[in-house]
Amino acid sequence: MRTIKLSALAGAVLLASACSQTTPTQNTDTQTVQQQVQPPVAQKIPHVTEIHGYKLVDNYHWLRDDTRSSAQVISHLELENRYADAKLAPIDTLRTTLFEEIKNKIAKDDRSVPYQRGDYYYFSEVKGDQEYRTYYRSKHADGSDAAEIFNANERAEGQSYYGLGALSVSPDGKLIAFAEDTLSRRIYTVSVKNLETGEIYTDKLEGAADSIEWGNDNRSIYYIKKDPVTLLGYQVYRHVLGQDQSQDELVYEEKDNTYYTYLAKSKDGSEVHIVHHATESKGLSILDANNPKAKPQRLLPRTKGHEYSLLKQGDFYFIYTNDNAVNFKLMKAHKNDVADKGKWKTIIAHNPDAKLEEVELFNDHLVYQSRVEGIGTLNVLNLKTQKHQTLTFNDPAYMASMTGNHELDSQFVRVSYQSMTTPNTIYDIDLNTLAKTQRKQTKVLGDFNADDYASERLFIEARDGVKVPVTLVYKKSMFKKDGTNPLLQYGYGSYGSTRDPYFRVSTLSLLDRGFVYAIAHIRGSQALGRPWYEDGKKLNKKNTFNDFIDVTKALVKSGYGDSERLYARGGSAGGLLMGAVINQAPELYHGVHSAVPFVDVINTMLDDSLPLTTNEYDEWGNPNDKVYFDYMRSYSPYDQVSAQNYPNMLVTTGLHDSQVQYFEPAKWVAKLREYKTDDNTLLLKTDMEAGHGGASGRFKRINDIALSYGFIIGLAEGKL
C-alpha cells in the first residue's frame, strides 16, 4: 500500500519572486514587454509518495486544485499565460494571418447530406459566421420541406463554452432529447423539446453522460449518470417524462470501475444496448425497448479479454468478436443460441494479416472494413449469394468510413472518404453494382487545387527491424527532397486508436509554406492490426516512442526534412509521446507542441479518484504492481525530466479538462523550467474556459490551430 506525506507548507502556497513581475501596459512595445515578463518560477513544496520502497518527490503537487478556485493556482496559470503572450508577441501578425487564411478557406454556408431515419430525412446546416449548426428534418430526401428541430446557436447564446452532445428523436418523431455541456467537463444536462409545439419541457437530467436512448413508448428515456468525482458514467437510469429526476429508476449500475458504460440502440429499434467497455474487454446487456419496465439481460457472460458487439437482424445476431481471433471475426447465431459458441456460424473468418474493423448490416448485404497494411479497405458481402466485393479508391493512402446508415432496408451504403489531398467526400454506393454516386465534397475556398499536392505512403524500419507505416503530404512545387523542407511530424500511438490519413484545410497553411506534414502510424495504434496495438502498450510502451524517433531520423536521412527545422506535435496520450520523445532525443527537434498532455503517468495512475485512471490499467498497467511501476518510471515524462537541453516547446491545456487534468502540464512545465539547461522557449498556455477538446465553435477552434501552427512556423522562419 502507498502512503502520502504532505509538507506543512502545502496549505500556504506561494510563488517565487520571479512570478510577481509587473503587468506590462498595452502601450509598451513588444521588446520591452518581453524583457519585463520573466518565466514564472513555481514554489517547490515537497509532496512525497512512498511506494515499493521508493520515495516519489513531487515538488509541484500544490498546483493541483480540484475546485479550480485557488487564488495561488489561478494566479500562477495567469502568469504563465501572460508570459506566453509576451513571448508569442512576435508572431501575433502571423497568428492573425493564419486565422484569416484558414477561415477564408472554409465555406461559411455548409449543409450536410440528408440521411434517412424512419419517416424523415435529417440534416444540419451552418451559415455565415455562425459557430454552431442548426438541425432540420424533412419528409423528402432533397430537404424541400425542411423544418428546424434544434438550433445550437440559440442554445449557445451567452455561454462562454457550449458543447452539444447527443441528439435523440423519439420513435414517434414528436420529441427530441438533447445533451448540453456549458463547462467543458463533459458533464451534460439532458433536456427534451416538443417538435410539434416547440416547447422545452421542465424535465432536466443533470450530471449525465453524452448518451441518450428512447424507449419505444415515447415516454421513457435511458441515460447515464456520472460519478461526480471520477466523472465515470456508471449508472443507467430510466426517466419517465414529467417526473422529477429524483424519481428515476436505476436500471443498471457498473460495479467494476475499469469499465466505461455507453448506450446504443439496435438498428431495428427493438433493443437498447448497455455497452460495457474496458480496454481489453467489451460486451453488452440488452433492454427490450418495447417494455417500459424492462430489466437488462446479458446474452453472453462478460469475461476478461473477450471483446464483442452485436448487430441484430430479425431473430439473429451477427457477433463481432475476438474469441480465438486476435484480429476479430464475424459470427452469426439465433438469439436463443448466442450463449452457445458451438452454434455460432462463421460469416467472416479471422485473418491474421488484416484486422476486421467496422461492420454495417443491411437486410441483403453486409459491409465491412478490413485493415490491410494499414489501410482500411471496404468490402461488400451479399448475404444471399455470399459474394464478396471490394470498393476501390484512387489515393495511395486514404480514410474511408461508413456514416448515416440507419435503415436495414437499403440497397445503398453511405461512405465518407478523404485523403491527405482529397477533401471529405460523401458517396452513396450501390451494394449490388458498387457504382458510386457523389453526394457532396467539402468545399475548400480560394485557389485550392488538389493536384498541387502529393501524398506518399512509406514503410520505415524501426530499430528492432519492425516496419512502421508513415503517410506524408507536401506541395509539389515547394518540395525538393534534398533535406531543405521544414517538417512537422504528428503521432498518437495509444488505446489502439488509428490516425488514418485525413484531409484538414488548416494543414494547407503549412504545405503552402513549404512544410512536409507526416503522420507516423506508430505502435500502440491498430494500423497493422491488433498485434500492432499490443506491441505498444503496458510493458511494450517504449516501442511507441522509439518508432516516432526512428521515423523522424529516417525521414531526415531520406531528404524529406531539414535536420535543423524538425517539429513534432501530439495531444493527450500523444502529448505523453511528445514528453517521452523530448526526454530521449531532445536534440532532434527544433520545436514541439504538446497539447493537453498526459505526462504525470505514475501519480495519475496511482490516484483512482481521477477520471479515467481505473479504466486505464489495461492500457498502461497498474503502478501498485512494482513491475509496472518500475517500467512507468523509466519513461514517464514528468519523472524523467533531467538537466539537459530541450527543444522550443509550446504546452497547451484547458482549465476544465476532464480527461487530462490541467495540473499535469502545469507541473511538467514547472519542472522543465527547473531542470532544462538551455535558453529555448518554454510556454504554457491555459485556456481558462475550455476543456480537453479546446474551444467550442467552428471558428473559435481556428484560434487554437493558429496558435499551434503559428508557433511552429514562427520557429521555422526565425520569428521566435
Side-chain angles (χ1 to χ4, degrees):
M1 297 294 291
R2 62 187 172 111
T3 58
I4 298 177
K5 299 178 181 178
L6 295 177
S7 165
L9 294 175
V13 174
L14 297 174
L15 299 181
S17 59
C19 289
S20 57
Q21 301 296 320
T22 303
T23 304
T25 65
Q26 292 181 343
N27 295 326
T28 309
D29 62 47
T30 298
Q31 184 178 2
T32 306
V33 170
Q34 289 184 288
Q35 290 172 348
Q36 285 183 344
V37 181
Q38 299 298 314
V41 179
Q43 177 95 3
K44 293 170 63 175
I45 302 176
H47 174 280
V48 181
T49 300
E50 296 182 359
I51 182 171
H52 304 308
Y54 186 84
K55 290 186 177 181
L56 284 175
V57 181
D58 184 357
N59 288 322
Y60 303 106
H61 174 83
W62 66 266
L63 281 166
R64 173 176 176 174
D65 171 33
D66 292 345
T67 69
R68 289 157 172 78
S69 62
S70 164
Q72 292 89 351
V73 171
I74 297 299
S75 176
H76 179 72
L77 297 177
E78 288 175 342
L79 283 167
E80 286 282 9
N81 278 348
R82 185 191 311 164
Y83 174 69
D85 288 342
K87 296 295 288 185
L88 291 168
I91 62 164
D92 282 350
T93 300
L94 173 61
R95 287 169 62 183
T96 300
T97 299
L98 287 169
F99 177 87
E100 294 298 332
E101 192 173 284
I102 296 168
K103 182 179 179 181
N104 290 337
K105 286 186 173 72
I106 299 172
K108 289 191 172 185
D109 297 343
D110 180 71
R111 174 184 285 199
S112 66
V113 180
Y115 65 85
Q116 185 178 4
R117 195 166 206 166
D119 295 332
Y120 292 94
Y121 292 87
Y122 293 85
F123 65 93
S124 64
E125 187 174 55
V126 63
K127 292 183 177 181
D129 291 327
Q130 291 177 339
E131 293 282 0
Y132 305 96
R133 303 189 77 86
T134 301
Y135 296 81
Y136 301 87
R137 69 178 180 185
S138 170
K139 283 284 189 178
H140 303 287
D142 61 3
S144 56
D145 61 341
E148 178 183 310
I149 60 173
F150 189 85
N151 190 326
N153 292 285
E154 291 180 357
R155 299 290 298 179
E157 192 171 338
Q159 302 289 348
S160 59
Y161 176 89
Y162 181 79
L164 176 62
L167 286 172
S168 182
V169 177
S170 60
D172 64 3
K174 296 180 179 180
L175 305 171
I176 185 170
F178 54 94
E180 299 172 300
D181 172 17
T182 56
L183 189 60
S184 191
R185 289 284 283 168
R186 301 189 182 182
I187 303 174
Y188 294 85
T189 297
V190 178
S191 305
V192 178
K193 176 183 176 181
N194 186 311
L195 294 177
E196 295 180 328
T197 67
E199 176 190 2
I200 294 181
Y201 292 169
T202 57
D203 301 67
K204 294 286 183 186
L205 310 180
E206 307 280 358
D210 177 26
S211 199
I212 313 166
E213 294 296 346
W214 286 88
N216 289 342
D217 63 351
N218 300 295
R219 291 185 52 78
S220 302
I221 299 174
Y222 293 94
Y223 69 99
I224 297 171
K225 207 166 186 180
K226 286 196 167 188
D227 183 295
V229 176
T230 67
L231 302 187
L232 290 174
Y234 72 112
Q235 293 177 321
V236 178
Y237 280 89
R238 179 166 42 223
H239 173 77
V240 177
L241 289 179
Q243 73 181 20
D244 188 81
Q245 187 178 9
S246 62
Q247 299 177 292
D248 291 351
E249 179 186 359
L250 178 63
V251 174
Y252 174 85
E253 182 169 359
E254 181 55 69
K255 302 292 187 181
D256 187 340
N257 62 4
T258 66
Y259 277 84
Y260 295 105
T261 304
Y262 305 102
L263 295 176
K265 203 168 188 182
S266 62
K267 207 168 184 177
D268 66 0
S270 66
E271 296 176 348
V272 174
H273 294 170
I274 303 173
V275 181
H276 321 296
H277 194 184
T279 303
E280 296 179 336
S281 306
K282 184 179 180 182
L284 52 84
S285 298
I286 292 174
L287 287 160
D288 181 355
N290 295 310
N291 180 3
K293 301 293 184 181
K295 302 297 181 183
Q297 303 292 325
R298 286 187 183 164
L299 300 183
L300 277 170
R302 197 167 74 181
T303 57
K304 180 74 172 178
H306 185 206
E307 299 178 47
Y308 77 90
S309 57
L310 300 176
L311 301 171
K312 185 174 181 294
Q313 187 187 60
D315 290 335
F316 289 86
Y317 288 107
F318 288 79
I319 308 155
Y320 173 74
T321 174
N322 69 341
D323 183 53
N324 294 316
V326 65
N327 270 336
F328 290 81
K329 61 186 177 183
L330 191 69
M331 311 297 283
K332 184 180 180 181
H334 190 275
K335 64 181 182 180
N336 297 329
D337 298 328
V338 172
D340 184 355
K341 295 179 183 177
K343 294 183 178 180
W344 290 6
K345 176 185 176 183
T346 300
I347 301 299
I348 301 174
H350 174 248
N351 183 346
D353 298 320
K355 182 176 182 289
L356 179 64
E357 293 188 329
E358 190 179 7
V359 179
E360 192 70 69
L361 179 64
F362 301 92
N363 282 339
D364 299 326
H365 298 86
L366 187 144
V367 186
Y368 61 96
Q369 185 178 76
S370 292
R371 189 164 293 278
V372 181
E373 293 188 344
I375 302 298
T377 303
L378 290 175
N379 308 273
V380 178
L381 168 62
N382 187 310
L383 294 174
K384 294 180 178 179
T385 66
Q386 299 302 304
K387 180 182 179 181
H388 294 255
Q389 299 182 84
T390 299
L391 296 172
T392 58
F393 299 97
N394 295 326
D395 293 294
Y398 58 84
M399 176 179 179
S401 60
M402 291 173 277
T403 180
N405 298 287
H406 300 289
E407 296 296 308
L408 283 167
D409 188 19
S410 177
Q411 296 301 311
F412 295 87
V413 60
R414 179 161 295 171
V415 171
S416 170
Y417 174 86
Q418 60 185 297
S419 74
M420 298 187 82
T421 58
T422 305
N424 189 44
T425 309
I426 303 297
Y427 293 105
D428 281 343
I429 301 176
D430 189 298
L431 291 169
N432 293 299
T433 66
L434 303 193
K436 299 186 187 78
T437 301
Q438 181 175 313
R439 298 296 306 277
K440 177 188 176 182
Q441 184 172 83
T442 299
K443 293 180 181 178
V444 180
L445 304 183
D447 58 357
F448 171 75
N449 183 345
D451 292 335
D452 292 341
Y453 305 88
S455 178
E456 294 186 31
R457 183 77 164 179
L458 309 175
F459 280 85
I460 289 175
E461 187 171 318
R463 64 194 67 182
D464 60 357
V466 171
K467 292 185 177 180
V468 180
V470 179
T471 312
L472 51 83
V473 63
Y474 49 79
K475 191 169 187 176
K476 295 175 184 177
S477 63
M478 303 189 75
F479 179 60
K480 302 174 183 177
K481 203 176 181 182
D482 61 356
T484 60
N485 287 86
L487 183 145
L488 173 60
Q489 182 175 310
Y490 171 84
Y492 187 75
S494 292
Y495 302 107
S497 178
T498 301
R499 296 302 197 254
D500 282 311
Y502 52 82
F503 183 89
R504 291 291 181 271
V505 68
S506 56
T507 307
L508 298 175
S509 291
L510 292 171
L511 307 184
D512 290 346
R513 288 172 172 82
F515 272 78
V516 174
Y517 181 74
I519 301 175
H521 306 285
I522 49 186
R523 278 173 280 189
S525 71
Q526 296 185 87
L528 296 182
R530 187 56 177 254
W532 196 247
Y533 171 38
E534 300 294 339
D535 208 21
K537 69 175 184 175
K538 288 185 176 178
L539 299 177
N540 295 320
K541 191 63 210 171
K542 290 182 183 178
N543 286 334
T544 301
F545 318 138
N546 295 342
D547 286 355
F548 192 89
I549 292 169
D550 293 347
V551 165
T552 302
K553 290 179 177 178
L555 290 176
V556 172
K557 187 177 180 180
S558 300
Y560 284 99
D562 181 351
S563 62
E564 301 298 318
R565 294 189 296 165
L566 298 176
Y567 305 93
R569 185 172 183 261
S572 195
L576 179 148
L577 169 67
M578 297 297 101
V581 162
I582 63 169
N583 279 333
Q584 293 181 32
E587 73 286 349
L588 273 181
Y589 304 97
H590 185 215
V592 170
H593 176 203
S594 184
V596 292
F598 171 44
V599 285
D600 190 11
V601 183
I602 294 177
N603 285 321
T604 294
M605 295 306 296
L606 282 173
D607 188 349
D608 58 13
S609 72
L610 290 172
L612 309 185
T613 291
T614 53
N615 301 78
E616 307 291 290
Y617 290 152
D618 288 337
E619 178 72 26
W620 311 101
N622 186 340
N624 290 293
D625 183 334
K626 190 175 186 302
V627 172
Y628 290 110
F629 172 82
D630 289 341
Y631 190 76
M632 284 180 181
R633 192 161 63 89
S634 71
Y635 72 76
S636 172
Y638 186 58
D639 296 283
Q640 288 300 313
V641 171
S642 63
Q644 63 176 347
N645 288 350
Y646 282 92
N648 296 286
M649 292 180 60
L650 170 65
V651 181
T652 53
T653 186
L655 181 63
H656 299 288
D657 196 329
S658 62
Q659 309 300 103
V660 179
Q661 308 290 312
Y662 77 89
F663 47 80
E664 287 202 39
K667 293 196 311 177
W668 183 43
V669 168
K671 190 171 183 179
L672 283 165
R673 289 205 196 288
E674 177 188 356
Y675 278 86
K676 75 190 194 79
T677 56
D678 57 81
D679 294 324
N680 290 332
T681 299
L682 172 59
L683 305 176
L684 172 66
K685 198 80 170 74
T686 303
D687 188 324
M688 306 302 281
E689 297 178 345
H692 199 64
S696 63
R698 61 170 178 160
F699 294 131
K700 288 181 181 178
R701 291 184 188 277
I702 300 175
N703 281 310
D704 295 341
I705 301 170
L707 170 61
S708 176
Y709 287 1
F711 177 74
I712 291 165
I713 295 168
L715 288 171
E717 295 181 349
K719 295 177 180 177
L720 288 177

